[in-house]
Amino acid sequence: MNNSRNFSAGPGALPLKVLDEVKQSIEKIPELGISILGVNHRSDWFEKLMQQAEENLRLLLSIPESYSVLFLQGGSSLQFSMIPMNFLRGTNKVAQHIVSGYWSSKAPKEAIHEGRVNIIWSGEENHFTTLPDLNQLCLDTKSAYLHYVSNETVEGLEFHQNIENSEIPIIVDMSSNLLSRSIDISKYDLIYAHAQKNLGPAGVTVVIVRDVFLNSSVSTLPSMLDYKTHKKANSIYNTPCVFSIYVLKLVCDWLIKDIGGLLNMEIINKNKAALLYKTIDHFSDHFATHANQSYRSNMNVVFKMHDLQKESTFLNFLSQRGFSGLEGHRSLGGIRASLYNGIELKAVEDLCDSISEYFR
Ligand code: PMP
């Protein structure tokens, strides 16, 4: 019951069916007779599993052959450094960044160690409540790349549009919305996302990169920090996180077989978010969302009570009904309900009913 009511921002709830399969695999993988936690990463079984995980991602996201899929470690935070190391260092070009919230603010702070950085849009003055129109930005076509975050996990802001630009490389941190909806991969040169929102447990970070872009990296780097090392070694240069990749594969199986693909997942996710926003708006005498209406995230619903002193009583009331993970990020406070793929519509209905009950 409580797993189905885990609204944590990350690591987030996994689909209940996947959790059941995982439980059994910790005891033993039927065809191997041993626990997943003791499977050798150089075994034929694991090599095949990696291939299946990649094939699943390719199928779900329609990833073209001209892109590589890498399974890395170090979380999305390491990508903040690896990206400028590989694509900015030594180029004499500028890295362009959109700063739209907590996480996108972190990326340029790492890029600055490798070269010049230009923040082309910042939402800081508006306390990160809005986003820019991606297709109205004034982009420098000679820059190394544009970096942005497609869903700001802390503030609950999501870009609901694709970027239309083929003149400069586009790099996107999709940590909190990859696999939550369908996307057109061909619009991007590098996408990265850690697993612990919609893909699986923490440990593995997926990088989807256009090969031409990957090969354009000129820096000489320590092996582990060089994308080319991981491409060449099929993501088994060193010991990968076997368990996380195994669960990621199961999550993709579930998305393909039980949900029927990302178009269906997107509809479910939109319905969940619409329901919760409707309830919050209904009780607008008590609540306000952080994000302006047009940029509200379908993944992280961030809101606060007008009377901040009542928040802990409200959260306690929900906690007594088995709901967890609803506290806002430590930098912002308030309330945050994360509606990742593993959260079913029924759980959101129950949450909305409990909110209504609280004000009855
Ligand atoms: N980017 C986004 C959008 C995130 O939500 C987070 C963490 N929640 C990160 C980056 C950092 O990820 P990690 O903890 O895997 O380094």
Side-chain angles (χ1 to χ4, degrees), residues 47 74 92 114 145 192 227 334:
E47 203 180 304
N92 211 16
E114 305 299 332
Y145 53 79
Y192 62 99
Y227 289 112

Side-chain angles (χ1 to χ4, degrees), residues 13 23 56 108 145 153 155 175 197 208 253 274 294 325 336 346:
K23 256 185 254 165
N56 274 354
Y145 53 79
T153 324
E155 292 83 1
S175 293
K197 266 68 174 179
I208 303 166
D253 283 343
S294 325
R336 172 169 55 166
K346 171 78 172 70

Side-chain angles (χ1 to χ4, degrees), residues 9 74-78 80 103 149 151-154 173-176 192 194 196-197 205:
S76 291
S77 299
L78 184 60
F80 296 159
W103 288 110
V149 173
N151 183 73
E152 288 284 2
T153 324
V154 171
D173 173 356
M174 294 198 184
S175 293
S176 47
Y192 62 99
H194 56 202
Q196 62 263 31
K197 266 68 174 179
T205 301

Side-chain angles (χ1 to χ4, degrees), residues 137-157:
L137 293 167
C138 208
L139 297 175
D140 170 4
T141 52
K142 292 198 173 66
S143 64
Y145 53 79
L146 169 72
H147 178 283
Y148 70 97
V149 173
S150 58
N151 183 73
E152 288 284 2
T153 324
V154 171
E155 292 83 1
L157 294 163

